[in-house]
Amino acid sequence: MPNHPDIMDKLVSLAKRRGFIFQSSEIYGGTGSVWDYGPLGIELKRNLQERWWQEMVRSRENVEGLDSAILMHPRVWEASGHVSGFVDPMVDCKNCKKRFRADDPKIKGTPGTPDGQCPACGMKGTLGAPRQFNLMFKTFMGPVEDSASIIYLRPETAQGTYVNFLNVQQATRQKVPFGIAQIGKAFRNEITPGNFIFRTREFEQMEMQFFVEPGTDMEWFEYWKAERMRWHRSLGLMENRLQFHQHGEDELAHYARAAFDVQFDFGGSLGFQEIEGIHNRGDFDLSQHQKFSSKKLEYFDQGTNKRFTPFVVETAAGPNRILLAVLVNGYREESVAGEDEGRVVLGLQPALAPIKAGVFPLVKKDGMPEMAKKIAQDLRPSFPVFYDDSGAIGRRYRRQDEIGTPFCITVDGESAAANTVTVRERDTLQQERVSTDSLREYLLKRLTA
Ligand code: GAP
């Protein structure tokens, strides 16, 4: 029995209707497993990314930021092991032309033999024998399409950090142990993408590579494991929906000596799934790049007069998956005392919510719209607000509840004379009268609480 119900279909519909997430190129029938972030989605994603950057870079003296390019020298991916090792075994159906991972539990019988049965068209004996399928997107650089111009879209941001290890270290004069963090796009030609934005072919990563002296790596690994779990909890993700999963020998990526996933329980049959990986990559990547580029990527410790290739502890998170976790975690349907209609609420943390306050005139007369518009305009430079004067006030509250807006400000009959407004809190539904002059400070304090 799943611990939590499956709410994915409801979320996909809400996300589209309210402008969080749209299918890419929808008017042409959509692009498989690629998604666009609408006005609310991009606010939420940026809030998550800024939260990560603040936590991982700005608040630490031993972590530096970087933004390396998506396109890199093709030898990078030979050195990193991605050309030979970033593969999944897959099978094709000769009848319906569909493609599956060879270990897809829906496949009956053995692919490549007469009893292998296609899970899509149901034909027997049409599945080919498993072949290795590389997950990297390949394209050409420059006007000539030959093997010399092949280039890859990066499948992880980490390699851009490794090849810049000495650039950053020398420019910042950081001493090992120190880290380099970046946020950027990554691409994987996943064989079985799906579950909305959970597994897509274009996505983002927030990765940090922490360079340490060999021998101290497991200590730092434990440190970063704890730090990253603490961060996920700080987003308001429920304690009982978070857990660690340790990779067994057969799960470890080609570069990893040890790995733990932070998993979130997405509910339904998806259940607990990875939202971040913490990896001990040893000296695999730096050593490989030294070998392939013939350039030294060593660190000289002036204190001990020792020269060594650092080990790397990596924290690799996906903002798209974390965004989905935050939506799943916050979604609830509830009845409201004294009202016939229930409400849908996105219980997002105020600091993460895309819109911080709705601003409404109670009715469209007696100067209320003018006063409400002025309040919205005055607040807008400080945080995103939404002015709404259409429909009954109850409906306007519901529209904000559904997108996670923590506060609704209403200008009513008393407002002009008393210079006050009501502030309604999303979760408790409590209303407080607040002076217009102190409204901004009042909200700012509650938004960061
Ligand atoms: N540099 C190490 C690395 O890339 P990973 O576990 O393959 O490790 C890290 O990826 C994170 O990137 C995952 O925890 C997940 O959040 C995100 N991610 C990976 N593949 C993804 C995909 N196809 N769609 C969305 N997010 C993905």
Side-chain angles (χ1 to χ4, degrees):
M1 263 294 273
N3 294 328
H4 297 276
D6 185 350
I7 54 160
M8 211 57 92
D9 288 346
K10 288 179 180 172
L11 268 186
V12 174
S13 142
L14 187 154
K16 176 174 175 186
R17 194 162 34 80
R18 300 307 311 274
F20 281 90
I21 299 162
F22 310 119
Q23 197 181 7
S24 161
S25 321
E26 193 183 8
I27 60 168
Y28 287 98
T31 318
S33 291
V34 185
W35 299 87
D36 297 336
Y37 288 73
L40 297 184
I42 180 60
E43 288 290 341
L44 178 54
K45 183 144 66 80
R46 285 181 78 133
N47 290 343
L48 278 168
Q49 290 175 334
E50 273 158 28
R51 180 87 158 244
W52 185 87
W53 194 258
Q54 181 63 29
E55 160 81 18
M56 297 298 282
V57 184
R58 296 223 169 114
S59 67
R60 293 175 193 268
E61 61 179 357
N62 60 354
V63 179
E64 303 286 347
L66 177 75
D67 182 17
S68 68
I70 289 171
L71 302 178
M72 300 181 72
H73 195 288
R75 294 270 287 162
V76 166
W77 305 110
E78 288 172 38
S80 70
H82 283 83
V83 170
S84 57
F86 197 50
V87 288
D88 270 344
M90 51 139 240
V91 294
D92 290 305
C93 173
K94 293 186 191 83
N95 180 49
C96 68
K97 312 284 181 233
K98 290 243 167 69
R99 185 169 275 181
F100 311 90
R101 281 177 65 117
D103 56 3
D104 190 326
K106 294 191 295 297
I107 295 177
K108 295 205 183 84
T110 311
T113 69
D115 74 326
Q117 187 178 9
C118 173
C121 68
M123 289 275 274
K124 271 192 165 181
T126 53
L127 292 177
R131 8 186 221 111
Q132 295 298 346
F133 175 73
N134 195 295
L135 300 186
M136 280 196 295
F137 279 99
K138 220 190 244 186
T139 184
F140 300 95
M141 181 118 124
V144 186
E145 290 195 11
D146 62 15
S147 58
S149 62
I150 285 177
I151 198 144
Y152 300 96
L153 300 187
R154 68 179 177 197
E156 61 170 9
T157 64
Q159 298 304 324
T161 300
Y162 300 137
V163 298
N164 277 298
F165 160 64
L166 273 191
N167 283 339
V168 174
Q169 191 272 321
Q170 286 165 1
T172 61
R173 293 187 288 123
Q174 282 280 2
K175 293 186 173 58
V176 167
F178 79 98
I180 305 176
Q182 65 170 318
I183 299 178
K185 289 263 184 180
F187 302 83
R188 293 182 191 176
N189 201 1
E190 301 278 4
I191 303 169
T192 46
N195 290 309
F196 194 23
I197 54 168
F198 178 79
R199 180 169 284 111
T200 53
R201 295 194 167 107
E202 174 177 341
F203 55 97
E204 274 154 285
Q205 291 190 312
M206 308 190 289
E207 297 198 302
M208 194 275 309
Q209 316 300 318
F210 201 71
F211 300 90
V212 305
E213 190 176 341
T216 64
D217 43 311
M218 281 318 286
E219 220 173 284
W220 282 109
F221 185 71
E222 291 304 325
Y223 168 81
W224 283 111
K225 254 177 68 188
E227 284 290 272
R228 296 307 304 145
M229 185 57 104
R230 180 181 59 73
W231 186 79
H232 287 286
R233 288 198 188 110
S234 82
L235 301 178
L237 296 181
M238 288 174 211
E239 190 74 36
N240 69 353
R241 296 190 92 139
L242 284 168
Q243 69 177 25
F244 277 121
H245 163 74
Q246 180 172 16
H247 282 214
E249 281 297 318
D250 54 335
E251 283 175 276
L252 285 176
H254 61 273
Y255 50 72
R257 297 171 148 232
F260 273 78
D261 292 339
V262 176
Q263 293 187 329
F264 174 80
D265 186 352
F266 287 91
S269 56
L270 192 55
F272 276 101
Q273 296 290 339
E274 170 188 353
I275 52 175
E276 169 155 4
I278 294 114
H279 311 127
N280 180 347
R281 296 178 74 135
D283 63 353
F284 177 83
D285 302 273
L286 289 184
S287 295
Q288 285 292 99
H289 287 305
Q290 295 192 79
K291 201 158 33 161
F292 279 68
S293 68
S294 306
K295 297 271 172 11
K296 284 252 171 286
L297 290 173
E298 289 176 337
Y299 173 76
F300 180 66
D301 186 332
Q302 289 177 333
T304 59
N305 258 353
K306 272 198 306 191
R307 193 176 288 282
F308 58 87
T309 304
F311 275 21
V312 172
V313 175
E314 171 186 62
T315 68
N320 313 84
R321 280 191 192 174
I322 298 171
L323 187 149
L324 183 60
V326 163
L327 291 179
V328 168
N329 186 76
Y331 183 92
R332 60 179 199 266
E333 294 167 9
E334 58 189 29
S335 53
V336 182
E339 291 186 22
D340 298 340
E341 248 182 79
R343 64 172 190 157
V344 170
V345 185
L346 264 191
L348 304 177
Q349 231 180 36
L352 292 179
I355 306 281
K356 307 302 183 193
V359 187
F360 317 139
L362 184 60
V363 287
K364 275 204 261 185
K365 57 180 188 186
D366 301 334
M368 291 183 213
E370 290 75 12
M371 186 171 172
K373 273 186 195 158
K374 167 94 175 54
I375 289 173
Q377 199 171 329
D378 290 348
L379 292 176
R380 207 163 271 128
S382 304
F383 42 75
V385 297
F386 185 79
Y387 173 83
D388 190 1
D389 61 13
S390 69
I393 191 80
R395 296 207 63 159
R396 283 181 264 163
Y397 285 146
R398 298 286 172 270
R399 285 202 287 262
Q400 294 306 311
D401 292 341
E402 195 188 39
I403 60 170
T405 305
F407 301 105
C408 287
I409 300 160
T410 304
V411 171
D412 59 15
E414 282 179 44
S415 293
N419 198 29
T420 57
V421 290
T422 61
V423 179
R424 167 195 178 265
E425 208 263 342
R426 178 194 67 206
D427 295 330
T428 60
L429 297 174
Q430 303 237 307
Q431 303 209 11
E432 214 181 315
R433 272 210 102 78
V434 179
S435 150
T436 319
D437 298 332
S438 56
L439 187 58
R440 186 176 161 277
E441 281 62 40
Y442 171 90
L443 290 169
L444 279 175
K445 206 189 264 165
R446 299 196 61 188
L447 284 169
T448 47

